[in-house]
Amino acid sequence: MTTMTERTTTPADRPALGLRERKKIKTREAIRTATYGLIGEQGYDATTIEQIAERAEVSPSTVFRYFPTKEDIVLTDEYDPLIMEELRSRPADEPWPDSLRYVMHRATQLGADEDPEVSRLRTRLMVEVPAVRSRMMQSMSSTGRMLCQAIAERTGRDPEGLEVRVYAMSLIGGLMETSLYWAENGHREDFQALLDRTLDVLQHGLGTEKN
Amino acid sequence: MTTMTERTTTPADRPALGLRERKKIKTREAIRTATYGLIGEQGYDATTIEQIAERAEVSPSTVFRYFPTKEDIVLTDEYDPLIMEELRSRPADEPWPDSLRYVMHRATQLGADEDPEVSRLRTRLMVEVPAVRSRMMQSMSSTGRMLCQAIAERTGRDPEGLEVRVYAMSLIGGLMETSLYWAENGHREDFQALLDRTLDVLQHGLGTEKN
DNA sequence: CCATGAAATGAGAGTAGCTGTCAAAAGAGG
DNA sequence: CCTCTTTTGACAGCTACTCTCATTTCATGG
């Protein structure tokens, strides 16, 4: 227990990570960068783990140690915890739809902060490579669990109850489709705008607007 | 062109399929039966294509000719077209939520008609085997497309529009979660009842009911 | 009934993702 | 500098899946 904050001989606010940790992070990024590069050059299927290992200057074994599957190399997904935290820090009396909208906006801002190229490549792969989409959907399940938890906290319901679970998954399904839509249309439209339209549909169903 | 209704020397209304077609159907079922049996005995992962081929008395090559992936052997999914047809045949002036509810009820009846053992094995595998769940979710996408089409026909919207697509996928996500919920709880509760609760949530959101 | 053409099958080799083991190398701590 | 632990690399192995090609099986027309 008690991660860090213990024996930080370096008084600076720097990470204070050991050489080992730093190397691990570097290896992780080397693998990801190599993967993005190779996929960009030759496509997803044509890119083998061996090639990735070679370009990242590690052994194939190491690649598997860092990422359980090839799809996981491109699907980072480190946002969920951030989103959860953001959600929890919203005022308790704020209407739920408002909280949701606010947090989703924040999340897309975070997404835009990182290299937009990467974020687009990722969504493009979601559309084009079935395996990646599958993996993505799978990760949706765990995201759904967290959402259930958050909703349960806010509404005092059972996080394992059917209603909460159904609601969470329908939400995620809708949001997922928004990403696909965005990617399928060549990332032309403004994602935030799409998001707003999506949330409208999820709140009010298919209303009477034109299209 | 012109399938059958040509030279049906057998005046009976029987299928009038050639020996070849009949054999194909038999092979298909042999493979599925073998798969269900083996998985029931030893589990999904422990069951290899070779074993399936052996029990079905065909070659491994043939298994792959009939089913592109191992997961596809257990995921039949021949209901989509039926559901679509049922949906189309509803009176045009029926409110959309009512149509949806009616059709979903019909679908579960169809599902119960076939061997309930098989249907339960399938949902159980969805919960337990990630690969199967992934494949299932993937098939959801195509189901979603059909739903979009149906919704578009009913409401005069663009089937490719964001709103319709989001609505369809959120629906499918919710329904999917219902199946998972049902399987996770040992198929104890009445599926139709769960379905009704699900549709309530999808229509009205998380209302004010207790739980 | 047989010959011809087409379709289905089987056998085999090959690819790649992924798992496991084990010994060597590199960092951490005394 | 020595020891312990973690990380890595090399290797073997399994299995899903693909591709090719020869063989068998059904359909058809004479």
Side-chain angles (χ1 to χ4, degrees):
Chain A
M1 313 298 123
T2 76
T3 54
M4 42 204 83
T5 69
E6 191 173 50
R7 240 173 156 277
T8 56
T9 10
T10 58
D13 51 9
R14 271 299 192 71
L17 293 172
L19 177 55
R20 237 168 205 165
E21 317 282 322
R22 271 176 289 156
K23 260 201 154 176
K24 266 167 92 168
I25 294 177
K26 265 178 66 178
T27 308
R28 218 182 151 76
E29 295 217 356
I31 294 174
R32 261 214 223 96
T33 308
T35 306
Y36 288 144
L38 285 166
I39 289 181
E41 293 166 20
Q42 355 167 318
Y44 182 84
D45 287 327
T47 301
T48 73
I49 299 284
E50 249 181 285
Q51 294 174 332
I52 294 171
E54 194 180 351
R55 181 172 295 198
E57 299 187 84
V58 294
S59 79
S61 322
T62 302
V63 176
F64 285 116
R65 260 195 269 283
Y66 279 80
F67 300 94
T69 73
K70 188 175 158 188
E71 298 95 58
D72 281 298
I73 306 180
V74 326
L75 294 175
T76 314
D77 236 51
E78 263 125 15
Y79 296 116
D80 286 10
L82 294 176
I83 293 181
M84 278 296 285
E85 203 171 333
E86 201 95 42
L87 208 48
R88 263 192 259 266
S89 69
R90 291 269 82 196
D93 59 343
E94 183 178 49
W96 165 254
D98 296 354
S99 298
L100 183 61
R101 200 174 288 256
Y102 173 82
V103 169
M104 290 311 299
H105 275 204
R106 288 277 302 158
T108 60
Q109 279 168 18
L110 287 178
D113 279 352
E114 74 170 353
D115 189 352
E117 288 291 331
V118 169
S119 141
R120 288 178 183 207
L121 175 60
R122 206 181 309 170
T123 49
R124 222 193 60 215
L125 289 176
M126 268 172 51
V127 172
E128 292 170 4
V129 183
V132 173
R133 179 160 53 212
S134 285
R135 196 74 188 74
M136 180 68 188
M137 291 191 165
Q138 211 168 327
S139 85
M140 280 171 31
S141 300
S142 59
T143 305
R145 292 306 185 156
M146 303 183 72
L147 240 186
C148 283
Q149 200 61 43
I151 295 172
E153 284 174 19
R154 273 289 274 272
T155 65
R157 288 163 181 273
D158 175 13
E160 297 295 325
L162 176 70
E163 277 77 9
V164 170
R165 286 180 55 177
V166 165
Y167 179 78
M169 265 316 268
S170 81
L171 229 119
I172 293 193
L175 292 172
M176 168 103 179
E177 192 69 12
T178 309
S179 300
L180 284 177
Y181 180 90
W182 186 53
E184 279 179 21
N185 292 66
H187 307 96
R188 275 189 292 278
E189 305 182 50
D190 178 33
F191 189 78
Q192 299 257 359
L194 294 180
L195 227 185
D196 276 323
R197 287 165 64 193
T198 294
L199 291 174
D200 286 341
V201 171
L202 292 178
Q203 270 179 60
H204 308 116
L206 282 177
T208 50
E209 324 87 17
K210 308 239 168 49
N211 209 1
Chain B
M1 311 297 122
T2 76
T3 54
M4 47 205 81
T5 68
E6 193 172 47
R7 244 177 153 274
T8 55
T9 9
T10 57
D13 51 10
R14 271 298 192 74
L17 292 173
L19 176 54
R20 233 164 206 169
E21 315 284 319
R22 270 177 289 157
K23 261 201 155 178
K24 266 167 92 168
I25 294 176
K26 265 177 68 178
T27 308
R28 218 182 152 76
E29 294 217 356
I31 294 174
R32 261 213 224 96
T33 309
T35 306
Y36 287 144
L38 284 166
I39 289 181
E41 292 166 21
Q42 356 167 316
Y44 183 84
D45 288 326
T47 301
T48 73
I49 300 284
E50 246 179 291
Q51 294 172 334
I52 293 171
E54 193 179 353
R55 182 171 295 198
E57 298 186 87
V58 294
S59 80
S61 320
T62 302
V63 175
F64 285 116
R65 265 198 209 69
Y66 278 80
F67 299 94
T69 73
K70 188 175 158 187
E71 298 95 56
D72 282 299
I73 307 179
V74 325
L75 294 175
T76 314
D77 236 52
E78 264 126 15
Y79 295 116
D80 287 11
L82 294 176
I83 292 181
M84 279 295 285
E85 203 171 333
E86 200 95 44
L87 207 49
R88 262 192 259 265
S89 69
R90 290 269 81 197
D93 58 343
E94 185 179 47
W96 165 255
D98 295 354
S99 297
L100 182 62
R101 200 173 290 257
Y102 173 83
V103 169
M104 290 312 300
H105 276 207
R106 288 277 301 159
T108 60
Q109 280 168 17
L110 287 178
D113 279 352
E114 73 170 351
D115 190 351
E117 288 290 333
V118 170
S119 137
R120 289 180 182 206
L121 175 59
R122 207 180 307 169
T123 49
R124 224 193 57 216
L125 289 176
M126 268 173 52
V127 172
E128 292 170 4
V129 184
V132 173
R133 180 160 51 210
S134 285
R135 196 74 188 74
M136 179 68 188
M137 291 191 164
Q138 212 168 325
S139 85
M140 280 172 30
S141 300
S142 59
T143 305
R145 293 305 186 153
M146 303 184 72
L147 240 186
C148 283
Q149 202 58 45
I151 295 172
E153 284 174 19
R154 272 290 275 271
T155 64
R157 288 162 180 274
D158 176 12
E160 297 295 326
L162 177 71
E163 277 77 8
V164 170
R165 285 180 56 176
V166 164
Y167 179 77
M169 266 316 268
S170 83
L171 226 114
I172 292 194
L175 292 171
M176 168 104 178
E177 192 69 12
T178 309
S179 300
L180 284 177
Y181 180 91
W182 185 53
E184 279 179 21
N185 292 65
H187 308 94
R188 275 190 291 278
E189 305 183 51
D190 177 34
F191 190 78
Q192 300 257 0
L194 294 180
L195 227 184
D196 276 324
R197 288 166 62 192
T198 294
L199 292 173
D200 286 340
V201 172
L202 293 177
Q203 269 180 60
H204 308 116
L206 283 176
T208 50
E209 323 86 17
K210 308 240 168 47
N211 212 1

